Amino acid sequence: MIIQLPVLFFALLIDRVYGDPKTSLHPVALIGQVIGRWGRPEQYPKPFHRFIGVIGWLGTVILFTLPFALFQMAAPWYVYLIAGPFLLKICFAWRALEEHARAVAQAASKQERAHQASLLVSRDTSVLTEEQILSAAYESVAENLNDSIIAPLFWFLILGLPGAAMYRAINTMDAMLGYTDERKDLGWCAARMDDIFSFIPARICGLLLFILYALKGRIRPAYAIFIRDRKKRPGFNGGIPMSLIAGGEGILFEKPGMYRIGEGIVTLREAGPSIIRTVRLSTLLFCLFAGIALVLLDGAPNIYGI
């Protein structure tokens, strides 16, 4: 299992240096195209939506995970050590989160900010205030601390590259289909499975944020908002990092007509750099704990055969 440690380190380094390649040939973009083909409710009779959703979910997970599993089983250790970081990088996005938030915050006009924010969230950003536009961007950062960083890395540590690929496929399907509109029944399986596979990572994410805000002297407001507001957001995972970051930073996350999380003591423009630092530190803290765990577990039976 110790080989996972350098793979994790170099994957993080690749992400920080290069970020996500902006190409339709990115494997996650390709899997999104696959989901887009079968994930159209109008193609099927309504009574079959849940059944189709289950079959589509299973087929998509297998399609994306199988190449990673075959590589992990067949590759010699030195090939795994060289190629593994690039394959792991495909499954998480760290630098990209910061770039998306920065694109919103640094946009030259409100119209451009609304457009950049619309790339991150499904709500109509054209009718939002300046603060609500920034809220949409930083909500995405807060939620994706778990969905795009902690959770895929957690499943990598548990199951190796297939685990990271599996989670990336699961989360992508939820992002595309897990809505309460006409996709509700077709995306029912995708939404439920994302809840299940995100459950433990989201709570690890919460623990990391508790530790960081304790070190910053902000544990009381973080905990108070966590207790009060974590269930305001639909689902039982996303509200954990969002409420802790809102309380710890003294900000307000607001989706008009849906929820208000936090107090708004500090504006999101003022708090933006601190939110980004918190995401960075949470990622590094997770990797520190992961490295310690891997060293302690070295020598236990592993899935690499080395």
Side-chain angles (χ1 to χ4, degrees):
M1 293 181 71
I2 198 66
I3 196 173
Q4 289 172 288
L5 190 54
V7 169
L8 176 61
F9 171 79
F10 285 114
L12 292 171
L13 184 61
I14 291 168
D15 179 272
R16 294 312 303 177
V17 173
Y18 296 106
D20 276 351
K22 295 176 175 60
T23 171
S24 60
L25 298 178
H26 191 292
V28 176
L30 293 176
I31 207 69
Q33 294 176 30
V34 171
I35 298 166
R37 288 183 178 275
W38 68 260
R40 290 182 288 177
E42 69 276 8
Q43 297 181 112
Y44 319 105
K46 188 171 178 55
F48 292 95
H49 279 192
R50 285 202 176 189
F51 175 74
I52 296 296
V54 171
I55 298 302
W57 181 89
L58 184 61
T60 303
V61 169
I62 292 173
L63 179 65
F64 194 58
T65 305
L66 186 60
F68 290 80
L70 293 174
F71 173 82
Q72 181 163 286
M73 289 188 295
W77 70 266
Y78 47 88
V79 175
Y80 183 90
L81 193 59
I82 295 171
F86 292 94
L87 293 175
L88 178 58
K89 169 60 202 83
I90 290 170
C91 300
F92 73 94
W94 180 18
R95 174 174 161 175
L97 281 183
E98 300 178 15
E99 291 175 340
H100 289 314
R102 191 178 302 115
V104 176
Q106 297 180 354
S109 67
K110 180 182 176 182
Q111 183 179 9
E112 178 61 18
R113 276 191 288 278
H115 169 68
Q116 291 295 335
S118 72
L119 303 177
L120 300 173
V121 296
S122 58
R123 71 197 71 167
D124 182 4
T125 57
S126 64
V127 300
L128 301 180
T129 66
E130 292 272 359
E131 191 73 0
Q132 288 168 345
I133 290 171
L134 289 173
S135 177
Y138 287 112
E139 284 173 47
S140 180
V141 170
E143 182 178 2
N144 279 289
L145 168 59
N146 181 66
D147 292 356
S148 293
I149 304 175
I150 302 300
L153 295 182
F154 169 82
W155 285 107
F156 167 69
L157 296 173
I158 299 298
L159 298 175
L161 290 173
M166 173 194 68
Y167 182 81
R168 185 74 279 138
I170 290 170
N171 187 250
T172 302
M173 280 187 281
D174 177 60
M176 295 181 66
L177 302 175
Y179 295 90
T180 56
D181 53 18
E182 68 277 2
R183 295 166 287 185
K184 181 178 179 180
D185 288 335
L186 190 65
W188 173 83
C189 178
R192 298 292 77 74
M193 296 307 289
D194 183 73
D195 285 342
I196 291 170
F197 282 89
S198 298
F199 188 87
I200 295 176
R203 280 140 187 85
I204 293 174
C205 184
L207 178 60
L208 296 171
L209 290 168
F210 269 120
I211 293 171
L212 287 176
Y213 285 123
L215 294 173
K216 291 182 178 183
R218 295 284 301 173
I219 187 65
R220 287 188 178 182
Y223 180 73
I225 298 301
F226 169 76
I227 293 298
R228 192 190 75 183
D229 292 349
R230 73 185 187 280
K231 295 182 180 180
K232 289 184 177 180
R233 186 196 177 280
F236 46 80
N237 294 318
I240 294 175
M242 286 175 62
S243 61
L244 285 168
I245 288 177
E249 303 294 340
I251 56 175
L252 173 66
F253 287 139
E254 179 182 11
K255 184 176 183 180
M258 289 291 292
Y259 56 73
R260 288 169 60 90
I261 298 174
E263 296 288 358
I265 299 169
V266 180
T267 68
L268 280 157
R269 185 164 296 281
E270 292 173 313
S274 180
I275 295 171
I276 297 302
R277 284 194 298 271
T278 296
V279 169
R280 288 182 180 178
L281 290 171
S282 298
T283 302
L284 295 173
L285 187 60
F286 174 81
C287 293
L288 173 63
F289 288 154
I292 293 171
L294 289 173
V295 170
L296 293 176
L297 290 171
D298 186 33
N302 65 76
I303 54 179
Y304 302 102
I306 60 173

